[in-house]
Amino acid sequence: MSQLPPPAWTPPPGWAPPPGWGTPWGWLPPRRSPGFNWSRLPATLLVALIIAAVVLGGLGVDSAIAAPSAGTVVVGGPVTLTAASGWVEVAADDASFTGVELRKANAILTAEVAGSDYAGDSTSLLQTQKESLDGEVAQASYGDFQTTSINGHDTSFVVFEATVTSGGQSGVIDGELVCMIVDGNAVVVLVAAGQGHLDPVIDDVTAMLDSVSVGR
C-alpha cells in the first residue's frame, strides 16, 4: 500500500496526488492564485441562505424604499458599484460577509470582492461559485453559462431557480449569479428575488453591473 507523504513533504513541480489521497498535507491545485482568498467562496454563497430567510419572511423593506438610494458604494478594496434608483444599502445578516448588500422591494443584491490578484478567468470563478451555491440550496436549476465583457471586465453569469428553506419553511427564488474580474479583483454578485419578482429589476441589475469599476 502506498504511504502518504510526511507533513513537511513538498510535491515536485507537476506532481499530482494519486486518486483518493486528498490533500492532508496542504497540497493545493496550481490554478489557485496565492492572492486569491478561496476561503471566502463558501461564505459568499451563504448569502443564498440569507436570501431565503429574507424572501420567505416577506423582505419587510417596503418602508425603506422611500429612503434615498445608496448611491456609489464600496464592494471591497478599490471596487465600487453605483446603486440604481430605489436600491438601499442594508447591513448584512452574516457578520463574515465583507461586501455590500442592497435591497429593493422583493429583490436583494449582494456584491463582494472574494479576492485580489486573481489569475483565473470569470468562467472558472463562476463554476466554483455555482458548485458552492449547489451546496447551500435544497435544489437548483440553471440556464446556460454566458460570458461577455462589461466595461472591459471579463464577466460570466448564469440565471437560476432555487428551492430554499428557512425556519422549517421552503420557497422558490429566481436569481442570477455573476462573476467579474475587475483589474485582478474577483467580484461575485448574487441577485435574487421571490419567484416572479426578478424580471422587474433586471434593468436595474444591468445598470449596476455596468457601474462596477475601480475607484481612482
Side-chain angles (χ1 to χ4, degrees):
M1 178 180 295
S2 299
Q3 297 295 316
L4 294 180
W9 182 82
T10 301
W15 184 88
W21 269 19
T23 58
W25 57 90
W27 178 84
L28 293 176
R31 290 180 60 189
R32 298 188 175 188
S33 166
F36 189 70
N37 188 356
W38 285 85
S39 65
R40 289 299 308 156
L41 294 178
T44 300
L45 269 300
L46 283 174
V47 175
L49 294 184
I50 298 172
I51 291 172
V54 171
V55 171
L56 296 177
L59 276 175
V61 295
D62 290 342
S63 61
I65 301 307
S69 299
T72 299
V73 295
V74 176
V75 175
V79 180
T80 62
L81 174 152
T82 300
S85 177
W87 288 80
V88 297
E89 183 177 3
V90 296
D93 297 328
D94 183 355
S96 69
F97 180 66
T98 61
V100 62
E101 182 176 316
L102 304 173
R103 298 185 192 178
K104 178 181 180 181
N106 291 310
I108 181 172
L109 179 148
T110 64
E112 182 178 19
V113 173
S116 59
D117 298 326
Y118 179 60
D121 57 22
S122 65
T123 302
S124 59
L125 179 60
L126 181 63
Q127 180 60 41
T128 303
Q129 291 287 342
K130 172 188 172 295
E131 292 170 359
S132 295
L133 180 59
D134 284 337
E136 303 298 342
V137 299
Q139 183 178 355
S141 59
Y142 298 87
D144 294 332
F145 276 31
Q146 304 287 331
T147 299
T148 186
S149 176
I150 298 180
N151 279 344
H153 307 310
D154 174 27
T155 304
S156 293
F157 62 92
V158 65
V159 296
F160 65 88
E161 180 180 281
T163 301
V164 293
T165 59
S166 178
Q169 294 181 299
S170 64
V172 178
I173 59 172
D174 294 331
E176 184 172 8
L177 178 60
V178 184
C179 293
M180 307 177 72
I181 310 302
V182 182
D183 285 10
N185 296 281
V187 179
V188 180
V189 179
L190 183 63
V191 187
Q195 192 173 31
H197 293 280
L198 186 63
D199 285 349
V201 298
I202 285 297
D203 287 346
D204 286 354
V205 173
T206 299
M208 287 189 281
L209 291 175
D210 194 56
S211 75
V212 174
S213 62
V214 172
R216 302 298 181 187

